[in-house]
Amino acid sequence: MTTTEPRRKRMPKAQRKAQMLDIAEQVFAERGYLATSMDEIAERVGVSKPMLYEYFGSKEGLLIGCIHRARTELLDRTQQAVTGADGPEDVLREGLLAFFEFIGEHKQAWSLLRQEAAITVPSAVEEIEGIRRQQTDLIAAVIAAFDTDMDPTEAEAFAEIVVGSTERLALWCERRPDVGPAQATTYVMEVVWRGVATRLTPDQHP
Amino acid sequence: MTTTEPRRKRMPKAQRKAQMLDIAEQVFAERGYLATSMDEIAERVGVSKPMLYEYFGSKEGLLIGCIHRARTELLDRTQQAVTGADGPEDVLREGLLAFFEFIGEHKQAWSLLRQEAAITVPSAVEEIEGIRRQQTDLIAAVIAAFDTDMDPTEAEAFAEIVVGSTERLALWCERRPDVGPAQATTYVMEVVWRGVATRLTPDQHP
DNA sequence: GCAGGTAACTTACTTCGAGTAACCTACTGG
DNA sequence: CCAGTAGGTTACTCGAAGTAAGTTACCTGC
């Protein structure tokens, strides 16, 4: 009754690894990190537990793998979105829009990112925080480009504010399905861009 | 050699419970939720594990107890700070300052709050989110008081932006010990208050 | 000051899941 | 068709969450 082998066994390493990440992302997002067992992921992948350990070392390692991939994709998306944008305001708007669109399309990757707090190994925390920093650095750079005189610390603070606002608003959007990416972007821009623009425009903004 | 009994045994329930919360808060903050064992907390309290289960039901229940207490204290503090403030701008500033001061003084309660993501039981998530909502509602009310014509959804979004900015900036402050509560408040106010004020002032602001 | 009731507490388990050692097998090129 | 290895499995250990059943300090009335 097995017509052409329903599911292949013995995949090449890279492909198996990607498949594991797909399933783990899904299960972690569904159930939460704690409530998920390695046995369950293994079963859904169609493989035995030691394979997961072979490729990811530990449960936390697997979570880190998932988060790493998701954050990297997110960063790529926003970076792509801002290339070709016209001026700092546009960069910010396009970046925000790309972010809200991404998390709208990849809800499970997004709920995964909220499991970050579960990571305890310090080196891993830094690794994840490093990718996050790339995001804030990107924004800080936008500000710095806009106003070369701005205190770098202040630019950093501003970037943190943008990221914080945006992540929190994304969470809020889940409870408000009527608020889409465009609307969310508008909310952030209205407050945050006006905030910085007011501060700077008096002698600039041709 | 035991002069007047170094540590008393058999405390009244309420007192023991409070002591458990104190210790659990400390250990969870130190090691993280996952890396902490109930046996360890029990030992530090000077009591056996089933007592913890007697009072808190589960490990997660204990964490929820800690978070609940910490968020409630935080909310009280900010609420106290804003009573007697003069006008919305002042309310916001005093509230922010109280927040940053609180987390500066209670670093361990604050790192505890970041373990929220570990909670999996849906009812508990809602309970915690409920307290958080009180915070955002407080802010949304400030905005609504300032501009009675504002769309309520927009006021909510604004409140989320304030909370998100603030929490993220608080995290950032940990890596930047040179940035104190006053400075952090200024950063948030500069962006966020200007953001909303600009939007509203054209026809108001006597 | 001593019965006895109960609130506070303990010992000694069960269970479940992370992590691992040791062994196995399908596919590859020669 | 044989051998080497990448990909895979079975069957365990061990630590920590959670629990059943029993024990002891303390108070209260007599």
Side-chain angles (χ1 to χ4, degrees):
Chain A
M1 264 285 182
T2 52
T3 55
T4 67
E5 301 257 339
R7 53 168 140 152
R8 260 177 62 213
K9 297 183 157 216
R10 257 168 164 83
M11 286 182 179
K13 194 164 167 173
Q15 190 183 338
R16 185 62 93 189
K17 226 171 152 177
Q19 185 203 11
M20 284 171 175
L21 286 174
D22 289 343
I23 304 235
E25 180 177 307
Q26 194 182 321
V27 182
F28 281 146
E30 244 171 50
R31 289 246 214 294
Y33 177 73
L34 280 144
T36 302
S37 81
M38 290 298 265
D39 285 294
E40 187 183 344
I41 295 172
E43 198 191 351
R44 286 221 219 174
V45 173
V47 106
S48 70
K49 194 168 53 165
M51 291 308 293
L52 292 173
Y53 285 91
E54 175 76 20
Y55 293 153
F56 296 99
S58 68
K59 188 182 178 183
E60 205 173 300
L62 180 56
L63 177 65
I64 290 163
C66 292
I67 290 176
H68 195 284
R69 196 180 62 163
R71 273 228 178 267
T72 303
E73 272 175 40
L74 177 57
L75 184 63
D76 283 359
R77 271 285 206 96
T78 53
Q79 264 171 338
Q80 271 197 340
V82 303
T83 57
D86 186 25
E89 181 173 356
D90 205 37
V91 166
L92 204 53
R93 171 171 286 118
E94 291 303 322
L96 287 171
L97 189 60
F99 173 86
F100 284 116
E101 277 171 350
F102 179 86
I103 64 156
E105 290 158 22
H106 299 74
K107 283 192 203 302
Q108 80 188 16
W110 171 235
S111 44
L112 184 82
L113 291 178
R114 280 182 270 128
Q115 308 287 326
E116 275 183 8
I119 298 172
T120 53
V121 175
S123 65
V125 174
E126 276 168 45
E127 194 201 337
I128 299 300
E129 202 57 37
I131 301 175
R132 204 175 189 136
R133 187 106 27 119
Q134 285 182 266
Q135 193 96 51
T136 52
D137 285 354
L138 189 70
I139 296 165
V142 171
I143 308 312
F146 186 52
D147 176 7
T148 47
D149 294 338
M150 195 183 219
D151 175 23
T153 303
E154 193 168 358
E156 248 185 70
F158 177 81
E160 295 287 335
I161 288 171
V162 173
V163 170
S165 309
T166 306
E167 292 190 351
R168 183 85 200 145
L169 208 58
L171 221 66
W172 175 75
C173 284
E174 282 177 22
R175 293 198 311 273
R176 317 272 325 213
D178 51 315
V179 179
Q183 186 62 60
T185 303
T186 304
Y187 286 145
V188 176
M189 284 304 285
E190 282 204 341
V191 174
V192 141
W193 178 255
R194 278 176 199 268
V196 83
T198 322
R199 203 166 161 283
L200 300 170
T201 37
D203 52 67
Q204 300 198 5
H205 207 279
Chain B
M1 262 284 182
T2 52
T3 55
T4 67
E5 301 256 341
R7 54 169 140 149
R8 262 177 60 215
K9 295 179 158 220
R10 256 166 163 83
M11 287 182 178
K13 194 164 168 172
Q15 191 182 338
R16 185 61 95 191
K17 224 171 152 177
Q19 185 203 10
M20 283 171 175
L21 286 174
D22 288 342
I23 305 234
E25 179 176 309
Q26 194 181 321
V27 182
F28 281 146
E30 244 170 48
R31 289 247 215 292
Y33 177 72
L34 280 145
T36 302
S37 81
M38 291 297 265
D39 285 293
E40 187 183 345
I41 295 172
E43 198 191 350
R44 287 220 218 175
V45 173
V47 106
S48 71
K49 195 169 50 164
M51 290 308 295
L52 292 173
Y53 285 91
E54 175 77 19
Y55 293 154
F56 296 98
S58 67
K59 188 183 179 184
E60 206 174 298
L62 180 55
L63 176 65
I64 290 163
C66 292
I67 290 177
H68 194 284
R69 196 180 61 163
R71 274 228 176 265
T72 303
E73 272 175 42
L74 177 57
L75 184 63
D76 284 357
R77 270 285 207 96
T78 54
Q79 263 170 340
Q80 270 197 341
V82 304
T83 58
D86 185 26
E89 180 173 358
D90 206 36
V91 166
L92 203 53
R93 172 171 284 116
E94 292 303 320
L96 287 170
L97 189 60
F99 173 85
F100 285 116
E101 276 170 352
F102 179 86
I103 64 156
E105 288 158 24
H106 300 74
K107 284 192 204 300
Q108 80 189 15
W110 171 237
S111 42
L112 184 82
L113 291 178
R114 278 182 270 127
Q115 309 285 326
E116 275 184 8
I119 298 171
T120 54
V121 175
S123 65
V125 174
E126 276 169 45
E127 194 201 337
I128 298 300
E129 203 56 37
I131 301 174
R132 204 175 189 136
R133 188 110 21 123
Q134 286 182 267
Q135 193 95 52
T136 52
D137 285 353
L138 189 71
I139 296 165
V142 171
I143 306 313
F146 186 52
D147 176 7
T148 47
D149 294 337
M150 194 183 218
D151 174 24
T153 303
E154 192 167 0
E156 250 186 70
F158 177 81
E160 295 287 335
I161 287 171
V162 172
V163 170
S165 308
T166 306
E167 291 190 353
R168 183 84 201 144
L169 209 58
L171 222 65
W172 176 73
C173 284
E174 282 176 24
R175 293 199 311 272
R176 316 271 326 212
D178 51 315
V179 179
Q183 186 63 60
T185 303
T186 304
Y187 285 146
V188 176
M189 285 303 286
E190 281 205 341
V191 173
V192 144
W193 179 254
R194 276 176 201 268
V196 84
T198 320
R199 204 166 160 278
L200 302 171
T201 36
D203 52 66
Q204 301 197 2
H205 207 275

